[in-house]
Amino acid sequence: MVELRNEDPSSFQNFMRMSPAMFDELVNRLTPRLTRPSTNYRTNLQPGLKLAVTLRHLASGTKYRDMAYGWRLPHNTISKVVREVCQAILDEYLDEQFTCPSTEEGWRQLSNEWMHIWNFPHTIGAIDGKHVACKAPPKTGSEYYNYKGFFSIILLTMVSSDYKFLWADVSGNGSASDAQMFNHSELKEGLENNNITGWPRPDPLPNDTQDVPYFIVGDDAFSLRTYLMKPYSAKRMTRKERIYNYRLSRARRVVENAFGILVNRFQVMLTTMQHHADTVRLIVKACMILHNLMRSRYPMLQNQLLDRELSNGDMEPGAWRMGQNLIDTVDVQAPNRDSKEGKKQRNLLKHWCNSPAGAVSWQDGMVDV
């Protein structure tokens, strides 16, 4: 570690998935939480060693027994260290790196960023779910067995236009669907009852006069509501509907990019995690917090991974797409439970996307392709 840091910082960054500066910040912030007194039987492990072991496990997904030889630590000790460090990251950074706005101005700022970067109005966030593979927990039957044929927990999350995680729920088991998790989440309850602190009041779309509620965007797995917009069905679409779907997809794919960046940075999530389900959830939370920390204070660590939008509307794939294939969720067929008000609002957005008020110059060419 010392040789890499002093002689080859780029290799240190590749090994730890972060720069020396970020590693130092984590050591300084977590040292009080990771320091334990030495005893007559053994010397306490240093906080920096605990952090390095944990980060290497998150970055590579290497099994504890294989790591034991390189780090000169017993595999059962490493298992305790990983849980201890992940919990310390959660306790230290959760309130700082994983909070939603609490004022109307804060929510509107998120919406303005979506409009500025992805050209979709009144959007607060993009929501989607991801299966994180794990070993079958004992005595759970098919509770964790998903429709793709493996055991998993579900990560359901909402992200900002800058690929930061705003809200997440990792309580779901593999047999559930994204829609089921969302329907039982505090996020849907807050949106349904309109009691999210500071949620902006409806106002007109850009260059328009009719008030429209603010919303999140998702795929066809979710039900259409005024607070959740999704694409039109792929059958017998008109040209205007195809343009709307294209515009929506430019915003919605941000959450898929965020998943790709997360799991290619912390490749333990690309493996079948050999942990207890509660430990899997703890590790996933810690990875998301580290991801948000990079996005907010060390963005250059991840910018090379992002998809880039070119001036003509084309997408240049980010480096995360060149890595291992993701075991991602796909569009799930769901019953037609779309609300009438949601359909009206989607039609209004469709007309706005096809009008001089909201059209972008390249959308016709993208739909023709």
Side-chain angles (χ1 to χ4, degrees):
M1 292 284 293
V2 175
E3 292 172 350
L4 286 177
R5 182 189 185 97
N6 295 335
E7 300 175 12
D8 193 354
S10 62
S11 294
F12 179 96
Q13 180 171 318
N14 183 61
F15 188 68
M16 288 283 100
R17 291 297 195 270
M18 61 183 60
S19 65
M22 182 174 175
F23 182 82
D24 289 343
E25 177 187 340
L26 289 171
V27 171
N28 292 334
R29 293 280 296 270
L30 299 181
T31 290
R33 299 181 184 273
L34 298 179
T35 301
R36 299 290 183 269
S38 299
T39 68
N40 294 331
Y41 298 98
R42 64 182 63 86
T43 303
N44 176 50
L45 297 179
Q46 294 300 311
L49 175 60
K50 292 181 178 180
L51 179 62
V53 169
T54 301
L55 292 178
R56 185 56 193 165
H57 176 65
L58 301 185
S60 65
T62 307
K63 295 180 180 178
Y64 295 153
R65 289 187 181 273
D66 294 334
M67 295 181 65
Y69 300 102
W71 294 90
R72 301 179 67 184
L73 292 174
H75 69 274
N76 53 350
T77 299
I78 296 177
S79 70
K80 293 182 179 180
V81 166
V82 168
R83 290 195 298 270
E84 180 186 1
V85 173
C86 287
Q87 187 62 54
I89 292 172
L90 202 64
D91 295 339
E92 181 68 25
Y93 284 100
L94 181 63
D95 294 337
E96 175 185 327
Q97 294 295 332
F98 220 104
T99 56
C100 291
S102 57
T103 63
E104 187 169 344
E105 292 74 16
W107 290 112
R108 289 184 186 277
Q109 178 61 32
L110 288 179
S111 176
N112 292 338
E113 291 171 358
W114 279 101
M115 184 62 190
H116 175 71
I117 300 174
W118 302 110
N119 306 110
F120 208 69
H122 282 217
T123 306
I124 296 297
I127 189 170
D128 201 2
K130 173 180 174 54
H131 288 277
V132 179
C134 64
K135 69 177 182 180
K139 300 180 181 180
T140 57
S142 60
E143 184 179 353
Y144 286 81
Y145 194 74
N146 62 46
Y147 70 99
K148 294 187 172 186
F150 58 90
F151 294 90
S152 66
I153 61 117
I154 299 179
L155 165 62
L156 181 70
T157 187
M158 181 176 72
V159 304
S160 70
S161 62
D162 191 35
Y163 307 98
K164 290 182 66 176
F165 295 102
L166 297 174
W167 171 89
D169 185 349
V170 295
S171 63
N173 303 329
S175 60
S177 67
D178 295 351
Q180 286 175 315
M181 284 196 62
F182 177 69
N183 289 338
H184 292 89
S185 69
E186 60 180 6
L187 177 61
K188 187 198 174 180
E189 180 182 356
L191 293 169
E192 191 84 38
N193 299 327
N194 196 26
N195 59 8
I196 296 179
T197 304
W199 191 264
R201 293 163 292 180
D203 57 19
L205 298 173
N207 305 314
D208 201 2
T209 58
Q210 183 173 344
D211 286 349
V212 175
Y214 285 77
F215 51 82
I216 59 180
V217 294
D219 60 25
D220 201 45
F222 303 97
S223 298
L224 182 67
R225 295 290 186 269
T226 56
Y227 54 77
L228 198 159
M229 290 289 102
K230 70 175 189 178
Y232 284 98
S233 172
K235 297 180 180 179
R236 297 186 296 276
M237 283 192 299
T238 66
R239 183 179 182 80
K240 288 185 176 181
E241 289 172 349
R242 290 167 60 197
I243 288 176
Y244 163 85
N245 279 7
Y246 164 67
R247 295 286 296 277
L248 178 77
S249 71
R250 294 181 72 246
R252 189 185 62 80
R253 73 183 180 212
V254 172
V255 66
E256 297 174 356
N257 283 356
F259 285 149
I261 296 165
L262 177 70
V263 301
N264 277 276
R265 171 90 37 199
F266 303 109
Q267 295 193 6
V268 67
M269 296 176 63
L270 284 173
T271 66
T272 299
M273 299 173 67
Q274 302 298 308
H275 307 79
H276 189 277
D278 290 340
T279 304
V280 173
R281 294 185 171 98
L282 178 62
I283 288 175
V284 170
K285 292 176 186 177
C287 290
M288 287 191 290
I289 289 176
L290 292 174
H291 169 95
N292 280 2
L293 180 62
M294 290 182 188
R295 294 302 307 153
S296 60
R297 290 216 279 274
Y298 305 91
M300 292 306 296
L301 290 177
Q302 290 187 339
N303 283 350
Q304 68 272 19
L305 297 175
L306 307 181
D307 291 346
R308 292 197 306 123
E309 192 83 22
L310 304 180
S311 59
N312 62 356
D314 290 341
M315 183 190 72
E316 180 180 345
W320 71 268
R321 295 184 183 270
M322 310 306 175
Q324 300 182 43
N325 292 328
L326 302 182
I327 308 175
D328 273 338
T329 55
V330 296
D331 291 350
V332 179
Q333 298 299 321
N336 185 8
R337 298 172 180 169
D338 302 341
S339 71
K340 291 183 179 179
E341 292 302 318
K343 290 180 178 179
K344 292 178 182 178
Q345 181 171 312
R346 182 169 65 178
N347 289 337
L348 178 63
L349 285 166
K350 174 190 68 176
H351 292 302
W352 181 85
C353 289
N354 287 274
S355 71
V360 293
S361 58
W362 62 82
Q363 65 187 29
D364 289 300
M366 297 302 295
V367 170
D368 289 338
V369 171

